[in-house]
Amino acid sequence: MDFLCVQFQFTTKQNIIFLGFGDFIGHEIIYDKSTVITSHANHNQTYGADFTSLVMSKPKPYSWNGIVESLIDVILYFKPDTIIATDYDTHVDHRLCALTVESAMEWIIKHTEFRPQLLKGFAYATGYETIDDYYNNHLLSTLINKKALPSDEFSTGNPTLSWIHRLRISVPKACREKKLIQNPIFKAMASHVSQQAYKRGSRLINGDQIFWKRRTDNIALYADITVSSGEAKYLNDFLRFNTVDVNSNTYDAHHYMWIPSADDTECKVHITFTETTPIQVVQLFGSVHNSGELCSIRIENSAGKHVQLDEIIHMGQGISYIFDQPLLLEWIDIYIDKRCLGLSEIELYSISNDVYDYCHILADNHFMYDWVVYPGEKIPMITPYIESIRKEMLTYRESEQENTYRWLINGKYIDESVLQILIEQELTTKPLQLRLESNDGSIFCEGTIRKGTFKDWFILKWNQLQDKLAYIQVKSKYKKGFKAAQAYK
């Protein structure tokens, strides 16, 4: 199965591991998790060079539990620092991947001490089916193709993930290579011969990579949770939403949410800990659909601090409340009003994790490396992208968060309020050196911006024309490879 491939390094084929499950069986496995499925190739268990046969010495059945157990085995065998997985994309197997990875992580968190970093992303909406903007004047940041989304209601393929809350990571210099056929991203796509992926390589070459981070230190996963009515099991299963039909873009809240009964006047969740536990962050998720209803949530705890959150319009993408300092708690109570359908997941964290360990400079909201303002273009708006102040969801705080960064132009500190004015005043054909850094200077990003001449623009367009001609020349080779692959089938 294409999504059940694990790559730990980008060096040799030996570092690519296949779990051995058949392709296009996602809808069958999701629909009936207890049944063993026979693939189109007439297999009902992993075989040959798959991970479980080679390493664990025991094949896994083609079933929901077989996939989840294989993921648990491979994760605990290698114990990677970071896991990057496909999220709920338009492809049924990508959707199966999204749900099985999260189920595997639930088991790992509840039964082991291993806590890797989990990043989720999209293979289609931000990659295979994204916007073809490679020949723009600038290397633009990743854009999402809204036509590839399952519904106009959502900003990503996963209804619990908001596009504006994405994590953006800069790309290596080699992956910013402006000669298309020499770019390693294009070369990687061109190697995927059977799907003519060379046609789409240019779509993946952007100025940033897009992910959504899932924390794996959620204390609620092993807390005791009781409710005034309804099913409490959905509140700490690591699944913010779920479905029994990956072919459909509609979701039944009864398959993934705690929903109080109609006669429940309390609508309460009670969370208790086995020992006094520090809690600083409370995150809540609810219905994936935006009903337009405004609802209220009240949070009470054993430390005597009560929080009232009013006029919450949509919890599908989550809301977060952060206390200034961790509170030592024995229990937490959460009350929702009748206008709230319910909650799908409660996540509790001991620390806010607002660590300033990454930043980048934005030019008109695109990652800026060395930026040229060509004739006829406006000077872009320069802003900071700071990991510590990036919001993973709608966030409420006890008190306002202060700026943790500062700006320099050509080595001189300047006030942020005059940053844009100074850039516009001082911009010439000689590069301005911009630097964004943490207050202690330990974390920083640097880039240059300058005015381009007509000669610069002409050289850019001439190089792009040559690049397009070079692509046409190599395309015939990839076409032959595709025809050979089809004939082999």
PDB file of all heavy atoms in Angstrom, residues 405-416 418 422 435 437-441:
ATOM      1  N   TYR A 405      10.909  38.735  19.969  1.00  0.00           N
ATOM      2  CA  TYR A 405      11.848  38.848  18.859  1.00  0.00           C
ATOM      3  C   TYR A 405      12.189  40.312  18.592  1.00  0.00           C
ATOM      4  O   TYR A 405      11.561  41.234  19.118  1.00  0.00           O
ATOM      5  CB  TYR A 405      11.237  38.225  17.599  1.00  0.00           C
ATOM      6  CG  TYR A 405       9.918  38.856  17.190  1.00  0.00           C
ATOM      7  CD1 TYR A 405       9.889  39.964  16.341  1.00  0.00           C
ATOM      8  CD2 TYR A 405       8.706  38.372  17.659  1.00  0.00           C
ATOM      9  CE1 TYR A 405       8.697  40.558  15.980  1.00  0.00           C
ATOM     10  CE2 TYR A 405       7.508  38.949  17.290  1.00  0.00           C
ATOM     11  CZ  TYR A 405       7.507  40.051  16.454  1.00  0.00           C
ATOM     12  OH  TYR A 405       6.321  40.636  16.101  1.00  0.00           O
ATOM     13  N   ARG A 406      13.191  40.521  17.731  1.00  0.00           N
ATOM     14  CA  ARG A 406      13.596  41.864  17.331  1.00  0.00           C
ATOM     15  C   ARG A 406      14.139  41.822  15.908  1.00  0.00           C
ATOM     16  O   ARG A 406      14.472  40.757  15.394  1.00  0.00           O
ATOM     17  CB  ARG A 406      14.653  42.410  18.299  1.00  0.00           C
ATOM     18  CG  ARG A 406      15.875  41.528  18.451  1.00  0.00           C
ATOM     19  CD  ARG A 406      16.718  41.929  19.641  1.00  0.00           C
ATOM     20  NE  ARG A 406      17.909  41.063  19.761  1.00  0.00           N
ATOM     21  CZ  ARG A 406      18.749  41.095  20.780  1.00  0.00           C
ATOM     22  NH1 ARG A 406      18.541  41.939  21.777  1.00  0.00           N
ATOM     23  NH2 ARG A 406      19.802  40.291  20.808  1.00  0.00           N
ATOM     24  N   TRP A 407      14.222  43.002  15.288  1.00  0.00           N
ATOM     25  CA  TRP A 407      14.623  43.123  13.890  1.00  0.00           C
ATOM     26  C   TRP A 407      15.936  43.891  13.753  1.00  0.00           C
ATOM     27  O   TRP A 407      16.227  44.806  14.537  1.00  0.00           O
ATOM     28  CB  TRP A 407      13.564  43.861  13.083  1.00  0.00           C
ATOM     29  CG  TRP A 407      12.326  43.079  12.806  1.00  0.00           C
ATOM     30  CD1 TRP A 407      11.171  43.075  13.537  1.00  0.00           C
ATOM     31  CD2 TRP A 407      12.113  42.196  11.700  1.00  0.00           C
ATOM     32  NE1 TRP A 407      10.250  42.239  12.968  1.00  0.00           N
ATOM     33  CE2 TRP A 407      10.800  41.683  11.824  1.00  0.00           C
ATOM     34  CE3 TRP A 407      12.888  41.788  10.614  1.00  0.00           C
ATOM     35  CZ2 TRP A 407      10.247  40.792  10.907  1.00  0.00           C
ATOM     36  CZ3 TRP A 407      12.347  40.904   9.703  1.00  0.00           C
ATOM     37  CH2 TRP A 407      11.042  40.409   9.846  1.00  0.00           C
ATOM     38  N   LEU A 408      16.690  43.524  12.703  1.00  0.00           N
ATOM     39  CA  LEU A 408      17.887  44.275  12.327  1.00  0.00           C
ATOM     40  C   LEU A 408      17.869  44.503  10.816  1.00  0.00           C
ATOM     41  O   LEU A 408      17.448  43.637  10.049  1.00  0.00           O
ATOM     42  CB  LEU A 408      19.177  43.528  12.676  1.00  0.00           C
ATOM     43  CG  LEU A 408      19.522  43.272  14.145  1.00  0.00           C
ATOM     44  CD1 LEU A 408      18.876  41.971  14.635  1.00  0.00           C
ATOM     45  CD2 LEU A 408      21.040  43.201  14.329  1.00  0.00           C
ATOM     46  N   ILE A 409      18.328  45.685  10.396  1.00  0.00           N
ATOM     47  CA  ILE A 409      18.567  45.988   8.985  1.00  0.00           C
ATOM     48  C   ILE A 409      20.024  46.370   8.834  1.00  0.00           C
ATOM     49  O   ILE A 409      20.497  47.310   9.492  1.00  0.00           O
ATOM     50  CB  ILE A 409      17.663  47.125   8.476  1.00  0.00           C
ATOM     51  CG1 ILE A 409      16.187  46.735   8.557  1.00  0.00           C
ATOM     52  CG2 ILE A 409      18.038  47.513   7.045  1.00  0.00           C
ATOM     53  CD1 ILE A 409      15.238  47.806   8.039  1.00  0.00           C
ATOM     54  N   ASN A 410      20.737  45.618   8.000  1.00  0.00           N
ATOM     55  CA  ASN A 410      22.175  45.834   7.806  1.00  0.00           C
ATOM     56  C   ASN A 410      22.934  45.908   9.127  1.00  0.00           C
ATOM     57  O   ASN A 410      23.806  46.761   9.337  1.00  0.00           O
ATOM     58  CB  ASN A 410      22.429  47.101   6.974  1.00  0.00           C
ATOM     59  CG  ASN A 410      22.057  46.923   5.513  1.00  0.00           C
ATOM     60  OD1 ASN A 410      21.934  45.798   5.031  1.00  0.00           O
ATOM     61  ND2 ASN A 410      21.864  48.032   4.803  1.00  0.00           N
ATOM     62  N   GLY A 411      22.564  45.033  10.051  1.00  0.00           N
ATOM     63  CA  GLY A 411      23.274  44.908  11.312  1.00  0.00           C
ATOM     64  C   GLY A 411      22.856  45.878  12.396  1.00  0.00           C
ATOM     65  O   GLY A 411      23.394  45.834  13.506  1.00  0.00           O
ATOM     66  N   LYS A 412      21.879  46.755  12.132  1.00  0.00           N
ATOM     67  CA  LYS A 412      21.440  47.736  13.115  1.00  0.00           C
ATOM     68  C   LYS A 412      20.035  47.382  13.615  1.00  0.00           C
ATOM     69  O   LYS A 412      19.134  47.129  12.816  1.00  0.00           O
ATOM     70  CB  LYS A 412      21.432  49.137  12.506  1.00  0.00           C
ATOM     71  CG  LYS A 412      22.810  49.639  12.105  1.00  0.00           C
ATOM     72  CD  LYS A 412      22.728  51.044  11.530  1.00  0.00           C
ATOM     73  CE  LYS A 412      24.110  51.562  11.143  1.00  0.00           C
ATOM     74  NZ  LYS A 412      24.045  52.935  10.567  1.00  0.00           N
ATOM     75  N   TYR A 413      19.867  47.403  14.957  1.00  0.00           N
ATOM     76  CA  TYR A 413      18.553  47.123  15.527  1.00  0.00           C
ATOM     77  C   TYR A 413      17.598  48.269  15.213  1.00  0.00           C
ATOM     78  O   TYR A 413      17.956  49.452  15.308  1.00  0.00           O
ATOM     79  CB  TYR A 413      18.663  46.953  17.047  1.00  0.00           C
ATOM     80  CG  TYR A 413      19.376  45.684  17.456  1.00  0.00           C
ATOM     81  CD1 TYR A 413      20.690  45.715  17.925  1.00  0.00           C
ATOM     82  CD2 TYR A 413      18.739  44.452  17.362  1.00  0.00           C
ATOM     83  CE1 TYR A 413      21.352  44.547  18.295  1.00  0.00           C
ATOM     84  CE2 TYR A 413      19.393  43.282  17.727  1.00  0.00           C
ATOM     85  CZ  TYR A 413      20.690  43.339  18.193  1.00  0.00           C
ATOM     86  OH  TYR A 413      21.332  42.179  18.528  1.00  0.00           O
ATOM     87  N   ILE A 414      16.369  47.893  14.857  1.00  0.00           N
ATOM     88  CA  ILE A 414      15.365  48.913  14.551  1.00  0.00           C
ATOM     89  C   ILE A 414      14.054  48.530  15.217  1.00  0.00           C
ATOM     90  O   ILE A 414      13.809  47.373  15.537  1.00  0.00           O
ATOM     91  CB  ILE A 414      15.180  49.081  13.021  1.00  0.00           C
ATOM     92  CG1 ILE A 414      14.808  47.735  12.365  1.00  0.00           C
ATOM     93  CG2 ILE A 414      16.436  49.618  12.370  1.00  0.00           C
ATOM     94  CD1 ILE A 414      13.397  47.633  11.962  1.00  0.00           C
ATOM     95  N   ASP A 415      13.213  49.520  15.432  1.00  0.00           N
ATOM     96  CA  ASP A 415      11.903  49.280  16.029  1.00  0.00           C
ATOM     97  C   ASP A 415      10.977  48.657  14.984  1.00  0.00           C
ATOM     98  O   ASP A 415      10.955  49.092  13.824  1.00  0.00           O
ATOM     99  CB  ASP A 415      11.310  50.604  16.538  1.00  0.00           C
ATOM    100  CG  ASP A 415      10.081  50.382  17.397  1.00  0.00           C
ATOM    101  OD1 ASP A 415       9.000  50.138  16.810  1.00  0.00           O
ATOM    102  OD2 ASP A 415      10.188  50.416  18.628  1.00  0.00           O
ATOM    103  N   GLU A 416      10.222  47.651  15.376  1.00  0.00           N
ATOM    104  CA  GLU A 416       9.360  46.949  14.426  1.00  0.00           C
ATOM    105  C   GLU A 416       8.341  47.881  13.787  1.00  0.00           C
ATOM    106  O   GLU A 416       7.940  47.688  12.634  1.00  0.00           O
ATOM    107  CB  GLU A 416       8.639  45.790  15.118  1.00  0.00           C
ATOM    108  CG  GLU A 416       7.819  44.942  14.172  1.00  0.00           C
ATOM    109  CD  GLU A 416       7.131  43.780  14.863  1.00  0.00           C
ATOM    110  OE1 GLU A 416       6.828  43.908  16.068  1.00  0.00           O
ATOM    111  OE2 GLU A 416       6.905  42.752  14.205  1.00  0.00           O
ATOM    112  N   VAL A 418       8.679  50.725  12.565  1.00  0.00           N
ATOM    113  CA  VAL A 418       9.195  51.468  11.409  1.00  0.00           C
ATOM    114  C   VAL A 418       9.895  50.544  10.413  1.00  0.00           C
ATOM    115  O   VAL A 418      10.547  51.010   9.475  1.00  0.00           O
ATOM    116  CB  VAL A 418      10.164  52.593  11.857  1.00  0.00           C
ATOM    117  CG1 VAL A 418       9.434  53.615  12.705  1.00  0.00           C
ATOM    118  CG2 VAL A 418      11.359  52.018  12.612  1.00  0.00           C
ATOM    119  N   LEU A 422      11.331  51.877   6.750  1.00  0.00           N
ATOM    120  CA  LEU A 422      12.766  51.923   6.480  1.00  0.00           C
ATOM    121  C   LEU A 422      13.131  51.087   5.255  1.00  0.00           C
ATOM    122  O   LEU A 422      13.993  51.485   4.460  1.00  0.00           O
ATOM    123  CB  LEU A 422      13.541  51.429   7.704  1.00  0.00           C
ATOM    124  CG  LEU A 422      13.519  52.347   8.928  1.00  0.00           C
ATOM    125  CD1 LEU A 422      14.282  51.713  10.090  1.00  0.00           C
ATOM    126  CD2 LEU A 422      14.127  53.708   8.584  1.00  0.00           C
ATOM    127  N   ARG A 435      17.424  40.740   9.315  1.00  0.00           N
ATOM    128  CA  ARG A 435      17.636  39.685  10.306  1.00  0.00           C
ATOM    129  C   ARG A 435      16.507  39.737  11.323  1.00  0.00           C
ATOM    130  O   ARG A 435      16.189  40.801  11.873  1.00  0.00           O
ATOM    131  CB  ARG A 435      18.987  39.846  11.005  1.00  0.00           C
ATOM    132  CG  ARG A 435      19.280  38.777  12.081  1.00  0.00           C
ATOM    133  CD  ARG A 435      20.626  39.038  12.725  1.00  0.00           C
ATOM    134  NE  ARG A 435      20.861  38.205  13.902  1.00  0.00           N
ATOM    135  CZ  ARG A 435      21.644  37.126  13.929  1.00  0.00           C
ATOM    136  NH1 ARG A 435      22.267  36.741  12.828  1.00  0.00           N
ATOM    137  NH2 ARG A 435      21.815  36.444  15.042  1.00  0.00           N
ATOM    138  N   GLU A 437      15.464  37.879  14.904  1.00  0.00           N
ATOM    139  CA  GLU A 437      16.108  37.051  15.925  1.00  0.00           C
ATOM    140  C   GLU A 437      15.348  37.093  17.234  1.00  0.00           C
ATOM    141  O   GLU A 437      14.548  37.996  17.496  1.00  0.00           O
ATOM    142  CB  GLU A 437      17.555  37.500  16.150  1.00  0.00           C
ATOM    143  CG  GLU A 437      17.691  38.882  16.757  1.00  0.00           C
ATOM    144  CD  GLU A 437      19.136  39.286  17.037  1.00  0.00           C
ATOM    145  OE1 GLU A 437      20.037  38.752  16.368  1.00  0.00           O
ATOM    146  OE2 GLU A 437      19.345  40.153  17.915  1.00  0.00           O
ATOM    147  N   SER A 438      15.595  36.075  18.060  1.00  0.00           N
ATOM    148  CA  SER A 438      15.040  36.058  19.414  1.00  0.00           C
ATOM    149  C   SER A 438      15.694  37.158  20.233  1.00  0.00           C
ATOM    150  O   SER A 438      16.751  37.694  19.869  1.00  0.00           O
ATOM    151  CB  SER A 438      15.272  34.694  20.062  1.00  0.00           C
ATOM    152  OG  SER A 438      16.660  34.404  20.103  1.00  0.00           O
ATOM    153  N   ASN A 439      15.084  37.503  21.350  1.00  0.00           N
ATOM    154  CA  ASN A 439      15.612  38.588  22.162  1.00  0.00           C
ATOM    155  C   ASN A 439      17.027  38.348  22.655  1.00  0.00           C
ATOM    156  O   ASN A 439      17.784  39.287  22.896  1.00  0.00           O
ATOM    157  CB  ASN A 439      14.686  38.849  23.356  1.00  0.00           C
ATOM    158  CG  ASN A 439      13.421  39.588  22.934  1.00  0.00           C
ATOM    159  OD1 ASN A 439      13.408  40.265  21.915  1.00  0.00           O
ATOM    160  ND2 ASN A 439      12.359  39.445  23.710  1.00  0.00           N
ATOM    161  N   ASP A 440      17.410  37.065  22.813  1.00  0.00           N
ATOM    162  CA  ASP A 440      18.779  36.770  23.223  1.00  0.00           C
ATOM    163  C   ASP A 440      19.703  36.513  22.036  1.00  0.00           C
ATOM    164  O   ASP A 440      20.898  36.250  22.219  1.00  0.00           O
ATOM    165  CB  ASP A 440      18.811  35.575  24.188  1.00  0.00           C
ATOM    166  CG  ASP A 440      18.299  34.287  23.553  1.00  0.00           C
ATOM    167  OD1 ASP A 440      17.967  34.307  22.347  1.00  0.00           O
ATOM    168  OD2 ASP A 440      18.216  33.269  24.270  1.00  0.00           O
ATOM    169  N   GLY A 441      19.151  36.566  20.812  1.00  0.00           N
ATOM    170  CA  GLY A 441      19.976  36.407  19.618  1.00  0.00           C
ATOM    171  C   GLY A 441      20.340  34.985  19.259  1.00  0.00           C
ATOM    172  O   GLY A 441      21.021  34.749  18.257  1.00  0.00           O
TER     173      GLY A 441
END
